[in-house]
Amino acid sequence: MTLIESFEKLDYSDALESSKEAQSWLDSHGRRFGQFINGKFESKSNADLIASLNPSNGDLLANIEVASASQLNKAITAARKALPAWQAMGEHGRAKVLYALARLLQKHTRIVSVLETLDNGKPIRESRDIDIPLAIRHFYHHAGWAQIQEREFSEYKAIGVVAQIVPWNFPLLMLSWKIAPAIAMGNTLVFKAAEQTPITAMFFAHLCAQAGVPDGVINIVNGAGTTGAALAAHEGIDKVAFTGSTSVGRAIRKATAGQNKKLTLELGGKSAFVVFEDADLDAAVEGLVDSIWFNQGEVCCAGSRLLVQAQIADKLHTKLKKRMQTLRQGEPLNKSVDIGSLVSQTQYQRVDELVQNGLEHGGELYQASTTQIDGNYYPPTLITEIDSSHPLAQEEIFGPVLVSIPFRTQSEAVMLANNSRYGLAASIWSENINRAMDVAPKIKAGVVWINCHNQFDASCGFGGVRESGFGREGGKEGLYEYLKPKLLKKATKPKTLKVELKDSDENIDRTLKFYIGGKQVRPDGGHSFATYNADGSLANWVGAGNRKDIRNAVSAATKASNWSNQNGHLRAQIIYFFAENLALREDEWIKRLQEICGLTKKQAKNEFHASLGRIFSYAAWADKYDGAVHDAPYRGVTMALPEAIGILAQIAPEESPLITTVSLIAPAIAMGNRVVLIASERYASIALELVQTLETSDIPAGVVNILTGNKADLAEQLAGHAEVDGIWCWAEPEIVSQVEATSATDLKRLWVHVDGDRDWLDSRQGEGNEFLRNATEVKNIWTPYGD
């Protein structure tokens, strides 16, 4: 036998990591854990228990007590009580605590890695080399943000008490990228670990006292889904940060509707792994291993949909099958193992059931090994000969199962990549950087990797669009999720003038028309209602919109999608022209504001000039709201690019009608969105009188659409419309609650407020970065370089 033959047949020997230290730690705590509340562990002898099992062999690791309702209340109360002192510690004080947590995790890296593998079933190499170092990185990174918070976020403050709920696939890593940014910005929190994998959260709780975390700042509770639901819906919570399934995220959105809570949802995915004909196929194969078989495929952003150019599909499949034959699956503590155990028998059965049911619809199954290993070991799987409508190409399997679909052209690849209700991540494989950078912005996803996959860092935002959720975690963009503007006031009902209505002798129909698709159109139902001046006289008749009017407006906005592709310079010129045309009618507008709103001439003049200034501001921002290049520790650049959300529905406030209308429309279109605006009911005629200026300002048809009518009815229609991508809403609490609940169907991105929450004439409250951030999605594009 030659040396080469010996080398090719060489097998890996076992290299088991010892679990002795981890088992001793569990024994020292009686293999039973309660809740960590106000800096102390609480245990109840009569508590309901959840068995935490080693998924690779079924051994009991520990019994976990389920938090009672009174313990949840106690944890939230402790967090609220600790809030003032934690914020008073200042930037440096909080930074030192985060730094201490990072150092302690480093000190205990080995035992934490073993505990993570025992509890989750992932290979020790992944726990030791990926999960735990990245968890440590989050605390280091956010210690730095804590130190410079006031300089970088001077106009913002902490939200308050945060509820954080995580899944079982990355237990400690999820904990770190939830807790680190929250406490860095001055919040306190109640954290709930997954019921299947709570062990490392309990270990972390023991580190909190050593790190000098003040009592009540970090509280950790245990329990199943009902515990998480109770925590999210609790009236003492100011913000909920949830990572998990789309169905649970939808339930949380509904449960928190009307509670005035900020919400971050990082949900499921069905990420595309796009391989073009000019890709390095050997690199793509290794990328697939890291993409779909990393962490047994139990990754929300796993590249579970392989889209491969047709002319190289067979060649890639051959290479991939050969590589699958060399993957080692088995005991997770074995350092020679590539793939470990699924997290539970329940998850194993779910994956197997999805695959078997899916194959009934067609498809060719390939599994490198047919030998069944005792335990929850699902074999690496490839399914070919299916199309994009196949259930296995649409449903998130959350296991080591890859489906492959061919494409012919670049445009077809983009279409197939976007043919999903999810939008979490994607990767593009091509040696042509021009092609890769052309495709990346076209894919509807929050993260795009070029010639790599499953790259993460604390400096880079992570999160999705569509039914993959909303909000970002990591990077500067992720910190805003734990902050709120300092200057906003407690919402008060807008003042309305009491008018004594007067009879009108007007016989001519002067009903103001809707503005849809660049045209003035009558309401579909033919109904209208009167709006009145401040003295009670008739101001105008305006249309009363219905479901079909909403449909027509959204359809017009959909057809105007090219607006999102225009460069910022062109959008700026058009918005400047809009301001120029509005300025020509200054005297007319000042008179109308006096008549309709009952303003003095000085007040009307102030509102008009503030409105002009606001339009100019967003024209200025149109080509200046840039992204960033993140300094992630790898050979490459990660670009954070702000992109238009798409179709934004806007529900206008019931005050200061001219400036509120332009304050909503201008930032949205400056960032490339198309708008469907529901005008104020009381001042509906003001928004429709603005149409004449819009028509003469070169704004493309469908970019701005304006309707009037019953705000509650129209808001509900927009919230439930599948083609609407996001909603801005200023309204009464009942309407806000309705919008939040209805939008849960497809998890639209929301920015909602109880009317009267700000002074719109104050530029610090009525314009600026807060509006621009909520008019954009940040897409992080990872671009490595070098050989």
Side-chain angles (χ1 to χ4, degrees):
M1 181 181 292
T2 66
L3 181 62
I4 292 177
E5 289 174 333
S6 298
F7 181 78
E8 288 177 346
K9 293 182 178 181
L10 187 66
D11 198 3
Y12 293 96
S13 61
D14 289 339
L16 288 174
E17 179 74 33
S18 171
S19 65
K20 182 178 179 181
E21 186 181 359
Q23 299 287 0
S24 296
W25 182 82
L26 292 170
D27 288 336
S28 70
H29 294 280
R31 294 186 179 263
R32 178 170 176 143
F33 297 95
Q35 323 307 321
F36 181 67
I37 298 174
N38 203 27
K40 300 176 181 63
F41 279 93
E42 282 196 6
S43 182
K44 287 189 173 183
S45 58
N46 61 345
D48 293 334
L49 298 177
I50 296 174
S52 181
L53 305 176
N54 181 336
S56 69
N57 56 25
D59 289 350
L60 177 70
L61 297 174
N63 285 305
I64 308 298
E65 298 179 14
V66 176
S68 65
S70 62
Q71 287 176 315
L72 276 184
N73 290 334
K74 186 175 181 180
I76 294 167
T77 299
R80 181 70 61 187
K81 185 177 179 181
L83 192 60
W86 178 239
Q87 294 175 350
M89 280 184 70
E91 300 166 306
H92 185 56
R94 292 195 297 275
K96 288 194 295 183
V97 170
L98 274 103
Y99 176 77
L101 286 168
R103 294 286 286 143
L104 282 167
L105 280 173
Q106 274 187 316
K107 178 181 178 181
H108 297 286
T109 293
R110 186 170 180 275
I111 184 175
V112 175
S113 299
V114 173
L115 286 170
E116 195 81 324
T117 288
L118 289 173
D119 206 18
N120 174 270
K122 65 178 64 190
I124 185 64
R125 286 191 297 121
E126 292 180 5
S127 297
R128 181 196 63 198
D129 300 341
I130 299 173
D131 290 22
I132 308 309
L134 188 51
I136 294 165
R137 161 78 172 146
H138 271 273
F139 282 103
Y140 271 127
H141 181 76
H142 288 97
W145 279 119
Q147 182 69 35
I148 60 175
Q149 178 181 357
E150 189 56 36
R151 279 162 283 180
E152 293 294 319
F153 303 99
S154 59
E155 297 179 356
Y156 293 85
K157 62 182 179 181
I159 289 177
V161 177
V162 179
Q164 300 180 320
I165 304 166
V166 300
W168 40 258
N169 53 342
F170 293 95
L172 190 73
L173 179 55
M174 289 287 181
L175 176 148
S176 70
W177 76 10
K178 286 282 192 294
I179 289 180
I183 64 174
M185 295 296 101
N187 300 280
T188 57
L189 59 91
V190 180
F191 177 90
K192 192 198 87 68
E195 60 186 286
Q196 298 90 343
T197 55
I199 300 297
T200 47
M202 294 292 94
F203 188 92
F204 178 81
H206 282 85
L207 298 183
C208 287
Q210 298 177 47
V213 178
D215 293 350
V217 171
I218 296 174
N219 303 274
I220 301 177
V221 297
N222 291 304
T226 52
T227 305
L231 176 60
H234 198 286
E235 61 182 9
I237 295 296
D238 301 309
K239 178 208 166 55
V240 178
F242 171 78
T243 298
S245 70
T246 296
S247 59
V248 176
R250 186 177 288 116
I252 289 175
R253 171 74 284 175
K254 290 180 179 178
T256 58
Q259 293 186 340
N260 194 32
K261 288 176 181 171
K262 197 167 185 178
L263 189 59
T264 302
L265 298 177
E266 195 269 282
L267 308 175
K270 193 71 178 177
S271 299
F273 189 106
V274 186
V275 182
F276 286 99
E277 61 181 338
D278 57 0
D280 180 336
L281 296 190
D282 291 326
V285 168
E286 292 308 310
L288 281 164
V289 172
D290 293 338
S291 165
I292 185 61
W293 295 308
F294 168 62
N295 203 46
Q296 299 75 246
E298 297 170 319
V299 186
C300 53
C301 55
S304 54
R305 281 189 303 148
L306 168 60
L307 306 179
V308 54
Q309 202 146 17
Q311 50 266 52
I312 61 165
D314 289 343
K315 185 176 182 181
L316 181 62
H317 290 161
T318 299
K319 285 177 174 288
L320 183 59
K321 289 175 182 178
K322 185 176 180 180
R323 180 67 175 92
M324 289 170 68
Q325 294 170 6
T326 66
L327 292 173
R328 289 171 56 88
Q329 186 171 31
E331 167 58 56
L333 285 175
N334 186 345
K335 292 188 282 288
S336 298
V337 158
D338 300 303
I339 302 175
S341 164
L342 295 184
V343 75
S344 66
Q345 182 65 25
T346 300
Q347 182 64 12
Y348 181 97
Q349 291 170 349
R350 178 184 180 277
V351 171
D352 190 55
E353 183 178 348
L354 282 170
V355 171
Q356 297 307 320
N357 290 344
L359 289 172
E360 293 178 5
H361 296 267
E364 183 175 308
L365 173 72
Y366 177 79
Q367 293 175 330
S369 173
T370 57
T371 303
Q372 179 64 48
I373 307 174
D374 290 339
N376 301 314
Y377 296 96
Y378 198 88
T381 300
L382 171 65
I383 297 172
T384 56
E385 304 300 326
I386 65 172
D387 60 27
S388 62
S389 65
H390 195 283
L392 293 176
Q394 292 295 324
E395 296 300 323
E396 184 181 34
I397 299 172
F398 222 67
V401 180
L402 176 68
V403 300
S404 180
I405 303 168
F407 67 86
R408 291 164 294 178
T409 64
Q410 180 173 309
S411 59
E412 185 184 8
V414 172
M415 180 190 70
L416 289 173
N418 291 333
N419 183 22
S420 171
R421 67 180 186 271
Y422 299 109
L424 186 54
S427 62
I428 301 164
W429 295 77
S430 170
E431 290 297 283
N432 185 339
I433 191 63
N434 294 322
R435 164 180 272 173
M437 293 306 296
D438 180 45
V439 171
K442 296 175 181 177
I443 294 181
K444 303 294 184 184
V447 180
V448 176
W449 295 286
I450 294 177
N451 293 327
C452 59
H453 203 103
N454 279 341
Q455 296 293 308
F456 310 100
D457 187 62
S459 67
C460 304
F462 183 84
V465 297
R466 296 178 170 175
E467 292 190 30
S468 290
F470 45 79
R472 293 292 180 267
E473 294 182 304
K476 188 173 184 179
E477 56 263 40
L479 294 172
Y480 284 108
E481 304 295 340
Y482 292 99
L483 296 167
K484 62 182 179 182
K486 287 180 179 178
L487 292 177
L488 294 190
K489 59 184 181 179
K490 187 175 181 180
T492 56
K493 192 171 183 178
K495 295 179 181 178
T496 54
L497 290 172
K498 293 183 178 180
V499 297
E500 186 176 335
L501 303 184
K502 300 177 181 179
D503 293 331
S504 172
D505 56 2
E506 180 69 72
N507 295 318
I508 301 174
D509 180 11
R510 300 187 186 278
T511 302
L512 295 175
K513 299 180 179 67
F514 296 156
Y515 187 53
I516 297 176
K519 300 176 182 178
Q520 297 189 46
V521 298
R522 295 185 182 276
D524 173 81
H527 299 295
S528 57
F529 63 95
T531 62
Y532 295 92
N533 293 318
D535 65 1
S537 61
L538 179 69
N540 267 308
W541 287 88
V542 299
N546 62 18
R547 178 178 59 83
K548 289 186 177 180
D549 295 308
I550 293 292
R551 179 198 65 189
N552 294 338
V554 175
S555 176
T558 302
K559 293 174 183 176
S561 60
N562 194 48
W563 178 251
S564 299
N565 299 324
Q566 299 299 329
N567 62 68
H569 175 58
L570 177 63
R571 293 198 298 266
Q573 290 180 83
I574 292 173
I575 297 169
Y576 277 129
F577 191 36
F578 172 38
E580 180 183 334
N581 287 332
L582 185 63
L584 294 175
R585 305 179 66 178
E586 177 176 350
D587 292 341
E588 176 187 340
W589 272 104
I590 290 173
K591 182 180 177 182
R592 292 300 287 147
L593 290 172
Q594 288 179 268
E595 292 173 345
I596 293 178
C597 303
L599 303 179
T600 65
K601 186 173 183 178
K602 181 178 180 181
Q603 290 172 328
K605 196 170 183 178
N606 286 342
E607 181 169 342
F608 180 80
H609 284 289
S611 301
L612 273 184
R614 201 138 297 175
I615 299 171
F616 262 79
S617 290
Y618 290 119
W621 275 114
D623 60 354
K624 298 174 186 65
Y625 190 66
D626 295 326
V629 176
H630 291 313
D631 183 21
Y634 79 119
R635 291 189 67 210
V637 292
T638 302
M639 297 168 284
L641 304 181
E643 296 183 335
I645 291 173
I647 297 176
L648 268 183
Q650 298 181 329
I651 317 299
E654 294 293 327
E655 57 181 317
S656 306
L658 179 59
I659 196 166
T660 55
T661 298
V662 301
S663 294
L664 269 57
I665 291 175
I669 66 173
M671 295 296 101
N673 299 285
R674 294 92 72 199
V675 167
V676 178
L677 177 85
I678 307 302
S680 155
E681 286 188 61
R682 165 67 181 87
Y683 302 111
S685 61
I686 290 287
L688 294 180
E689 289 178 40
L690 196 61
V691 165
Q692 295 178 18
T693 305
L694 291 168
E695 284 183 313
T696 60
S697 300
D698 294 342
I699 297 174
V703 172
V704 177
N705 306 273
I706 302 177
L707 292 82
T708 56
N710 183 282
K711 185 181 282 189
D713 292 343
L714 297 179
E716 184 176 21
Q717 294 297 328
L718 284 167
H721 199 295
E723 298 301 317
V724 171
D725 299 298
I727 301 178
W728 292 5
C729 178
W730 275 264
E732 297 174 356
E734 295 77 14
I735 296 176
V736 169
S737 177
Q738 179 187 62
V739 166
E740 290 179 320
T742 305
S743 70
T745 302
D746 57 0
L747 292 165
K748 292 176 174 61
R749 179 173 168 183
L750 302 182
W751 191 34
V752 297
H753 315 262
V754 174
D755 209 350
D757 71 327
R758 67 190 65 212
D759 179 359
W760 288 94
L761 291 170
D762 184 344
S763 62
R764 297 171 300 172
Q765 300 180 49
E767 72 168 271
N769 280 335
E770 184 190 9
F771 286 77
L772 296 171
R773 282 191 303 100
N774 282 285
T776 53
E777 298 279 10
V778 177
K779 174 181 286 183
N780 278 268
I781 301 177
W782 292 69
T783 312
Y785 51 71
D787 293 331

